[in-house]
Short mmCIF file of all heavy atoms in Angstrom, two decimals:
data_model
loop_
_atom_site.label_atom_id
_atom_site.label_comp_id
_atom_site.label_asym_id
_atom_site.label_seq_id
_atom_site.Cartn_x
_atom_site.Cartn_y
_atom_site.Cartn_z
N ALA A 23 13.73 -13.03 -14.45
CA ALA A 23 14.39 -12.56 -13.26
C ALA A 23 15.52 -11.62 -13.63
O ALA A 23 16.19 -11.78 -14.69
CB ALA A 23 14.93 -13.72 -12.42
N SER A 24 15.77 -10.66 -12.73
CA SER A 24 16.95 -9.81 -12.84
C SER A 24 17.91 -10.24 -11.72
O SER A 24 17.48 -10.36 -10.55
CB SER A 24 16.57 -8.34 -12.71
OG SER A 24 15.92 -8.07 -11.49
N LEU A 25 19.13 -10.51 -12.06
CA LEU A 25 20.10 -10.98 -11.08
C LEU A 25 21.26 -10.00 -10.98
O LEU A 25 22.34 -10.18 -11.55
CB LEU A 25 20.62 -12.37 -11.49
CG LEU A 25 19.54 -13.44 -11.81
CD1 LEU A 25 20.15 -14.67 -12.41
CD2 LEU A 25 18.76 -13.72 -10.53
N ILE A 26 21.01 -8.91 -10.20
CA ILE A 26 22.07 -7.95 -9.96
C ILE A 26 22.93 -8.49 -8.86
O ILE A 26 22.53 -8.69 -7.74
CB ILE A 26 21.52 -6.58 -9.58
CG1 ILE A 26 20.51 -6.07 -10.64
CG2 ILE A 26 22.55 -5.55 -9.33
CD1 ILE A 26 19.70 -4.84 -10.22
N THR A 27 24.17 -8.76 -9.21
CA THR A 27 25.08 -9.43 -8.28
C THR A 27 26.17 -8.55 -7.68
O THR A 27 26.75 -8.92 -6.66
CB THR A 27 25.78 -10.64 -8.98
OG1 THR A 27 26.47 -10.15 -10.15
CG2 THR A 27 24.71 -11.66 -9.42
N GLY A 28 26.54 -7.43 -8.31
CA GLY A 28 27.63 -6.62 -7.80
C GLY A 28 27.40 -5.15 -7.99
O GLY A 28 26.83 -4.72 -8.99
N ILE A 29 27.80 -4.41 -6.98
CA ILE A 29 27.74 -2.95 -7.02
C ILE A 29 29.10 -2.40 -6.58
O ILE A 29 29.42 -2.52 -5.38
CB ILE A 29 26.60 -2.39 -6.13
CG1 ILE A 29 25.22 -2.89 -6.60
CG2 ILE A 29 26.63 -0.85 -6.15
CD1 ILE A 29 24.08 -2.40 -5.78
N GLU A 30 29.90 -1.93 -7.50
CA GLU A 30 31.24 -1.53 -7.21
C GLU A 30 31.35 -0.01 -7.16
O GLU A 30 30.88 0.70 -8.06
CB GLU A 30 32.20 -2.10 -8.25
CG GLU A 30 32.19 -3.60 -8.35
CD GLU A 30 32.60 -4.26 -7.03
OE1 GLU A 30 33.41 -3.68 -6.29
OE2 GLU A 30 32.10 -5.37 -6.75
N PRO A 31 32.00 0.54 -6.11
CA PRO A 31 32.18 2.01 -5.98
C PRO A 31 33.35 2.43 -6.84
O PRO A 31 34.18 1.66 -7.29
CB PRO A 31 32.45 2.19 -4.47
CG PRO A 31 33.14 0.94 -4.12
CD PRO A 31 32.52 -0.15 -4.98
N PRO A 32 33.48 3.80 -7.03
CA PRO A 32 34.69 4.32 -7.71
C PRO A 32 35.92 4.01 -6.92
O PRO A 32 35.89 3.87 -5.69
CB PRO A 32 34.39 5.81 -7.81
CG PRO A 32 32.94 5.96 -7.58
CD PRO A 32 32.53 4.83 -6.72
N ALA A 33 37.07 3.89 -7.62
CA ALA A 33 38.32 3.54 -6.94
C ALA A 33 38.70 4.59 -5.90
O ALA A 33 39.26 4.26 -4.85
CB ALA A 33 39.42 3.40 -7.99
N GLU A 34 38.39 5.85 -6.16
CA GLU A 34 38.80 6.93 -5.23
C GLU A 34 38.05 6.89 -3.88
O GLU A 34 38.45 7.52 -2.94
CB GLU A 34 38.66 8.30 -5.86
CG GLU A 34 37.27 8.66 -6.34
CD GLU A 34 36.98 8.19 -7.76
OE1 GLU A 34 37.74 7.35 -8.26
OE2 GLU A 34 36.00 8.70 -8.32
N VAL A 35 36.91 6.21 -3.83
CA VAL A 35 36.15 6.18 -2.60
C VAL A 35 36.16 4.78 -1.94
O VAL A 35 35.57 4.58 -0.93
CB VAL A 35 34.68 6.63 -2.82
CG1 VAL A 35 34.61 8.03 -3.36
CG2 VAL A 35 33.96 5.66 -3.70
N GLU A 36 36.87 3.87 -2.60
CA GLU A 36 36.92 2.50 -2.04
C GLU A 36 37.50 2.45 -0.64
O GLU A 36 37.00 1.79 0.26
CB GLU A 36 37.74 1.59 -2.98
CG GLU A 36 37.81 0.13 -2.49
CD GLU A 36 36.46 -0.55 -2.59
OE1 GLU A 36 35.68 -0.26 -3.49
OE2 GLU A 36 36.20 -1.38 -1.68
N SER A 37 38.61 3.18 -0.45
CA SER A 37 39.30 3.17 0.86
C SER A 37 38.39 3.85 1.91
O SER A 37 38.34 3.40 3.08
CB SER A 37 40.63 3.90 0.78
OG SER A 37 40.47 5.21 0.29
N ALA A 38 37.72 4.90 1.52
CA ALA A 38 36.82 5.62 2.47
C ALA A 38 35.68 4.66 2.85
O ALA A 38 35.31 4.62 4.02
CB ALA A 38 36.27 6.88 1.83
N LEU A 39 35.13 3.95 1.92
CA LEU A 39 34.04 3.03 2.24
C LEU A 39 34.55 1.91 3.14
O LEU A 39 33.82 1.44 4.03
CB LEU A 39 33.48 2.44 0.97
CG LEU A 39 32.55 3.35 0.13
CD1 LEU A 39 32.14 2.65 -1.16
CD2 LEU A 39 31.33 3.79 0.96
N ALA A 40 35.77 1.48 2.92
CA ALA A 40 36.36 0.43 3.75
C ALA A 40 36.47 0.91 5.20
O ALA A 40 36.18 0.19 6.15
CB ALA A 40 37.72 0.01 3.24
N ALA A 41 36.91 2.18 5.37
CA ALA A 41 37.02 2.73 6.73
C ALA A 41 35.66 2.90 7.36
O ALA A 41 35.50 2.63 8.58
CB ALA A 41 37.70 4.11 6.67
N ILE A 42 34.65 3.29 6.54
CA ILE A 42 33.33 3.44 7.12
C ILE A 42 32.77 2.06 7.54
O ILE A 42 32.17 1.91 8.61
CB ILE A 42 32.36 4.04 6.02
CG1 ILE A 42 32.77 5.52 5.81
CG2 ILE A 42 30.92 3.96 6.44
CD1 ILE A 42 32.00 6.19 4.67
N ASN A 43 33.02 1.05 6.74
CA ASN A 43 32.58 -0.32 7.08
C ASN A 43 33.25 -0.81 8.34
O ASN A 43 32.60 -1.43 9.19
CB ASN A 43 32.88 -1.27 5.92
CG ASN A 43 32.01 -0.98 4.71
OD1 ASN A 43 30.92 -0.44 4.84
ND2 ASN A 43 32.49 -1.37 3.56
N THR A 44 34.55 -0.49 8.50
CA THR A 44 35.27 -0.90 9.69
C THR A 44 34.64 -0.24 10.95
O THR A 44 34.40 -0.89 11.98
CB THR A 44 36.72 -0.58 9.59
OG1 THR A 44 37.29 -1.24 8.45
CG2 THR A 44 37.48 -1.03 10.86
N ALA A 45 34.47 1.09 10.84
CA ALA A 45 33.86 1.80 11.95
C ALA A 45 32.43 1.29 12.26
O ALA A 45 32.04 1.14 13.41
CB ALA A 45 33.80 3.29 11.66
N HIS A 46 31.70 1.03 11.21
CA HIS A 46 30.29 0.54 11.40
C HIS A 46 30.32 -0.86 12.07
O HIS A 46 29.51 -1.11 12.97
CB HIS A 46 29.61 0.44 10.03
CG HIS A 46 28.24 -0.15 10.09
ND1 HIS A 46 27.19 0.53 10.58
CD2 HIS A 46 27.78 -1.39 9.75
CE1 HIS A 46 26.10 -0.25 10.53
NE2 HIS A 46 26.45 -1.42 10.05
N ASN A 47 31.22 -1.70 11.67
CA ASN A 47 31.31 -3.00 12.30
C ASN A 47 31.72 -2.91 13.75
O ASN A 47 31.19 -3.66 14.62
CB ASN A 47 32.34 -3.88 11.53
CG ASN A 47 31.85 -4.22 10.13
OD1 ASN A 47 30.67 -4.18 9.84
ND2 ASN A 47 32.81 -4.48 9.26
N GLN A 48 32.63 -1.97 14.06
CA GLN A 48 33.03 -1.80 15.48
C GLN A 48 31.86 -1.32 16.32
O GLN A 48 31.60 -1.82 17.42
CB GLN A 48 34.17 -0.79 15.56
CG GLN A 48 34.70 -0.60 16.92
CD GLN A 48 35.26 -1.84 17.59
OE1 GLN A 48 35.97 -2.57 16.88
NE2 GLN A 48 34.98 -2.12 18.86
N VAL A 49 31.10 -0.30 15.75
CA VAL A 49 29.97 0.21 16.47
C VAL A 49 28.91 -0.89 16.68
O VAL A 49 28.32 -1.05 17.74
CB VAL A 49 29.35 1.42 15.74
CG1 VAL A 49 28.03 1.82 16.31
CG2 VAL A 49 30.34 2.57 15.77
N SER A 50 28.67 -1.70 15.60
CA SER A 50 27.69 -2.72 15.69
C SER A 50 28.12 -3.78 16.76
O SER A 50 27.29 -4.31 17.49
CB SER A 50 27.56 -3.44 14.34
OG SER A 50 27.10 -2.53 13.37
N SER A 51 29.44 -4.06 16.80
CA SER A 51 29.93 -5.00 17.84
C SER A 51 29.69 -4.46 19.24
O SER A 51 29.24 -5.19 20.10
CB SER A 51 31.44 -5.28 17.60
OG SER A 51 31.92 -6.11 18.60
N ASP A 52 30.01 -3.16 19.44
CA ASP A 52 29.81 -2.56 20.76
C ASP A 52 28.33 -2.55 21.13
O ASP A 52 27.98 -2.87 22.28
CB ASP A 52 30.37 -1.11 20.75
CG ASP A 52 31.86 -1.06 20.60
OD1 ASP A 52 32.52 -2.13 20.87
OD2 ASP A 52 32.40 -0.01 20.23
N ILE A 53 27.48 -2.28 20.18
CA ILE A 53 26.06 -2.27 20.44
C ILE A 53 25.58 -3.68 20.79
O ILE A 53 24.75 -3.90 21.71
CB ILE A 53 25.27 -1.72 19.22
CG1 ILE A 53 25.54 -0.23 19.05
CG2 ILE A 53 23.74 -1.96 19.40
CD1 ILE A 53 24.92 0.36 17.82
N SER A 54 26.08 -4.66 20.09
CA SER A 54 25.71 -6.04 20.39
C SER A 54 26.16 -6.47 21.77
O SER A 54 25.36 -7.11 22.52
CB SER A 54 26.32 -6.99 19.32
OG SER A 54 25.85 -6.67 18.07
N LEU A 55 27.36 -6.08 22.14
CA LEU A 55 27.86 -6.45 23.52
C LEU A 55 27.01 -5.75 24.57
O LEU A 55 26.66 -6.35 25.59
CB LEU A 55 29.33 -6.05 23.64
CG LEU A 55 30.33 -6.85 22.80
CD1 LEU A 55 31.75 -6.27 22.95
CD2 LEU A 55 30.31 -8.33 23.23
#
């Protein structure tokens, strides 16, 4: 078995990915409602 457990982005894009995830979660919440 191969057990790939983590995929880490570069430090310079971590904040951008966090913002994208927040926006995606908000959109998903609105869609669910």
Side-chain angles (χ1 to χ4, degrees):
S24 59
L25 307 171
I26 303 172
T27 56
I29 300 179
E30 300 300 329
E34 59 271 17
V35 301
E36 181 67 36
S37 59
L39 285 177
I42 292 175
N43 290 335
T44 301
H46 176 75
N47 292 337
Q48 182 62 43
V49 171
S50 299
S51 176
D52 294 341
I53 292 175
S54 298
L55 291 175

